[in-house]
Amino acid sequence: MLLPPIASLNISNTTSAPPSSEGITTISHHPTQGESPYLSQVRKIAVLVDPYSTGCIIAQEMQKRGLLIIALWTTGFSEEMKLHVPTSCGRMDYFAQVDQQLTLEETRKVLLEAADGHVIVACLAGGEAGVDFADALSEYLEQTRAAAVVGAAAAGAGSKLSTKLSNQAILTNGTEIPNRRDKYVQQELIKQAGLRSVRQAGSDKFEDVEGFLKTEAYPIVLKPNESAGSDGVKLCYSFDEAKEHFEKLMSSQLVNGGECPSVLCQEFLKGTEFVVDHVSRDGVHKTCMIWVYDKRKANGANFVYFGMKPVDPTTEQAKILINYTRRVLDAMGILHGPTHAEIMMTAEGPCLVEMNCRAHGGDGRWRPLAVALTGGYSQVEVTADAFLDPKAFSRVPDKPTYPFKASGQEVMFVNFSSGKVKSTPGFDVIRALPSFVHMDSFVSPGAEVDYTVDLVTGIGGVILMHQDQEVVKRDIEFIRYLEEINGFFIYETKLENLKRPRGDDILLKTSTPTVATKDGKHLHRRVFSSDGPSLIRHLSNDRPELRGPLMKRMTTVDSSQEAVVIVDPYSTGCCVAEEIVKRGFSVIALWTKEFAPEMKMHVPLSCGALNYLAEVEEADTLMATSDIVHMAAGKLRVVACLAGGEEELTAGKLRVVACLAGGEAGVDLADKLSEFMKVRTNGTNIPNRRDKKVQQEIIRKHGLRSVRQAGGANFADVEEFLKSEPYPVVLKPVESAGSDGVKLCHSFQEAKEHFHVLMKSQMVNGGQCPAVLCQEFLRGKEYVVDHVSRDGEHKTVMLWVYDKRPCHGSAFVYFGCIPVDSESPEAKILIPYVRGVLDALEFKNGPSHAEVMMTPDGPCLVEMNCRAHGGDGNWRPLCVALNGGYSQVEATVDAYLDKRQFMILPDKPPSPFKAAGQEVILVSYGRGTVKATPGFEDIKKLPSFVYLETGVRPGSQVDYTVDLFTGIGSVILMHHDSNVVKEDIRRIRQMEKNNELFVFENQVGSMRSPSLMGLSKHVD
């Protein structure tokens, strides 16, 4: 109660209330003559300093008990935060709102005027920013109340009312500890009390903390001394980073509305983080609830909050926490009111992170759960009891009873994707869960969301509660599944790159595997096997079975006197060249026009150094090129001409017996030249066999399932198709130009825009895109079927299926390439279909690499690559092990140079395979600048490791994998024990999910607790 001194009593019957804000109203009391005695009676008032978040809920609880509420806003408190009212409160109806004045006395007078004759009986902090002033003001109000009672008694002015209320003291923690919410002060106080505290140093001058920062083990936590919320708290990994953040904190306006008085540098506590909520009165501390944070690694961050779970208060650990927390409260001189302690249970026992001298924040969304768990109360109700009803407070249990009366927890949503939100269907599904109680979502249509790495990037949370524990468990599992499949949001449509891992791309003059960012970092983009000079490769040296013996196979010619021409030998073409050299032939490298000089240096790691007999350049005509090759061959007889990369040509001084395309861009030239030189050829009856549109039209004519499509160099040629075909629609360059260009478009406008991009852009094959192909989007499993043919006889050398999954908001992320049993039902359908495609395309000789989608209507060709399987041939050791001695590389050389050996090759791979293995395509679950790559070293130690290929190194900027361009590499695994392979795959996936592949620079951002979620600027 507040009875002002008689001499200063000056109560006005009019209230000067500040303008009402949206969601907050001010109710003024104006007694009038003849008014009802029930309306004119003196009522009790509680003053809440900076009421927001849970403070609003406490205010409403006190209103329910008949009190009037005055909101007192401290100097600097933002107007935005005055509007922050929890959704559970609806709107706030304050009796009055006043602002802090220059002095306590001036503030008291303003309160008295606003009280309008009613009596102030309580003054408490409604949020973190109000703690210091609430302590000072409540102390001052109690002093003046006590003095007024004494003065009134001495003057004989006590009335019936004053006698009734004079003994009700205004509870206060006082100002004996002038700034108890200062984190540095907190740690020093508990250290003096003999309690475990954090090693620390704090000051407003950097030189005062410099010694600590130079001697303390990193990482180190830097934070503003005052509990200012989510801004400012950071985990720093180096002295320079700590120095930079110190200066930032000192110069920035913190969220409590004032300048940061100093910065606190603390040891980084390792352990399990708990929350212990109390309410105190007269030094008696009642434990309202203990919670434990569910923190995990996610999206490249080490500390992402997944939830908050109630803790059994009867466990030994809980007993230790309760005892420690109460001793902290005593050391800090906290006698009254709610507190919210964050404590780390370290290896040495509990250690205070910080003591928040106010109620648990988070908009009080935990309140219904706490009430259900305890069977009727939470920190909110007990706070009202402590200030207003001491008898009720005395009846509150010392700690919650156990077992709890219900089951439940708070689940914090974690987002694994990014984009502009079109709708939020996942939130509607969550509201329908059986255990749903309350949800806070910070996302609405039109918002841009990112991957959750801290509280700032959080998207909301939900309180679940049910009498049946199994119901809660199932609902949590469902929410986690919803997160995994990115089911929360539907995003605005965006272009998605659909190029496949075996595109074997040639990046020519404009090849840039890394992209410079504004800060000078290099953003890693998917480095394909053909980007050779930029790659890091690791081949196992500890697997004797991978180093096959040098084999001299019988051939149909005298190899020592003959040469083979390989056009653009790179990637798998180098593997073919090496195999030819092993068989005693000399190899001439013929480089086509526009082939990038840096790509000439690209040799797969498995090949070592290749010594060519000669290297020559393509001439303007076939005849001139043939002459150049003949001159290079000298007296040797040219027996074959192969394309080693994406292009191909042939030549020979004497008799040329073979000419084959070793890469995609060389297919047309190889066909023409082999036909011109009258050697084994696929001919030019189909003039542009590698044209995707041509391929689809041909197989359609032969009755094979083909893609609905339209193509042309003018948009008018495809406009009708784009207006009638269901979306999404695939747009790609007509020629197989590699990774650039293939896009999934979700609307007519996107398709039109991308059409023009493809027509204007320089394609990766070195020439202008002659046309654009628009195709239906095929749905189903995607397979690869590799063949080698001779004179129209097709031998299946391997079948693969792509492991594609939704990830990070993208529907199609490649996780691997898995061998398929040749006797499986799928293989029995795929092999005849692909061979029919080869016959329809009149492909009779050489290697081929078919990409086929198994749709509900059966297999459908995506594209036929009339060259060997790409990817540096790093799959070769695996294929040799699976097949028991051969791969597409050996079979290709047999087809051109050893008819007898080709004839005895099996028609298809053995079933079962002779070994186990697959390609694992690495997926990044983090974002940042790579400091180190320890995961790669761990992968190389796996028992089944064969080969690792990556473009990521220290200094690379990696992002979340959403397509091949954001992929981070691939690994070949092989072992004769399938369980070993399975375990190694599990370990790699675990390293990906836990972000153990990389150590990032500046990995962690905000480290504030989840009780602050949803407060954008001014927080608890």
Side-chain angles (χ1 to χ4, degrees), residues 32 75 114 155 185 199 312 351 359 479 495 536 583 590 652 685 701 752 803 845 861 942:
T32 59
T75 302
V185 171
R199 295 189 300 273
D312 176 357
C351 182
I479 291 172
L495 297 178
I536 299 171
R583 300 196 189 189
L590 173 61
N685 187 39
K701 290 178 181 177
K752 182 177 181 180
D803 177 9
N845 297 289
L861 181 70
L942 295 175

Side-chain angles (χ1 to χ4, degrees), residues 102-170:
L102 292 177
T103 67
L104 291 174
E105 177 58 25
E106 290 174 352
T107 303
R108 185 182 73 92
K109 288 180 178 179
V110 170
L111 282 173
L112 291 177
E113 183 179 358
D116 202 14
H118 299 294
V119 183
I120 297 174
V121 297
C123 176
L124 64 152
E128 185 66 38
V131 170
D132 291 340
F133 193 70
D135 285 345
L137 181 62
S138 60
E139 182 180 57
Y140 187 74
L141 291 176
E142 171 55 20
Q143 290 171 350
T144 57
R145 181 206 69 83
V149 170
V150 172
S159 65
K160 189 175 182 180
L161 175 65
S162 65
T163 301
K164 181 179 179 182
L165 297 177
S166 61
N167 293 327
Q168 296 188 13
I170 295 176

Side-chain angles (χ1 to χ4, degrees), residues 30 69 105 172 254 256 273 341 511:
H30 302 281
I69 304 297
E105 177 58 25
T172 181
L254 291 197
N256 65 348
E273 186 178 3
S511 176

Side-chain angles (χ1 to χ4, degrees), residues 21 52 58 72 117 120 124 155 210 290 383 544 547 715 730 774 784 878 908 970 1016-1017:
S21 300
Y52 66 100
I58 292 174
L72 190 157
I120 297 174
L124 64 152
E210 188 171 7
I290 305 173
T383 296
R547 302 191 295 271
F715 186 72
V730 178
C774 307
V784 165
L878 173 58
K908 57 186 178 183
S970 66
S1016 58
K1017 293 185 178 179

Side-chain angles (χ1 to χ4, degrees), residues 426-481:
F427 292 160
D428 294 331
V429 174
I430 290 173
R431 290 187 183 94
L433 293 176
S435 66
F436 173 81
V437 174
H438 174 78
M439 181 171 67
D440 281 327
S441 62
F442 312 142
V443 179
S444 56
E448 290 280 352
V449 298
D450 204 349
Y451 302 86
T452 301
V453 294
D454 54 20
L455 290 175
V456 177
T457 48
I459 58 173
V462 63
I463 299 293
L464 303 179
M465 187 275 292
H466 200 275
Q467 297 300 316
D468 188 341
Q469 184 178 0
E470 288 302 313
V471 172
V472 176
K473 182 179 178 181
R474 286 197 302 269
D475 288 353
I476 293 171
E477 290 174 350
F478 176 79
I479 291 172
R480 296 306 176 207
Y481 173 72

Side-chain angles (χ1 to χ4, degrees), residues 252-266:
S252 300
Q253 175 71 27
L254 291 197
V255 292
N256 65 348
E259 294 296 329
C260 173
S262 59
V263 175
L264 183 58
C265 308
Q266 294 181 327

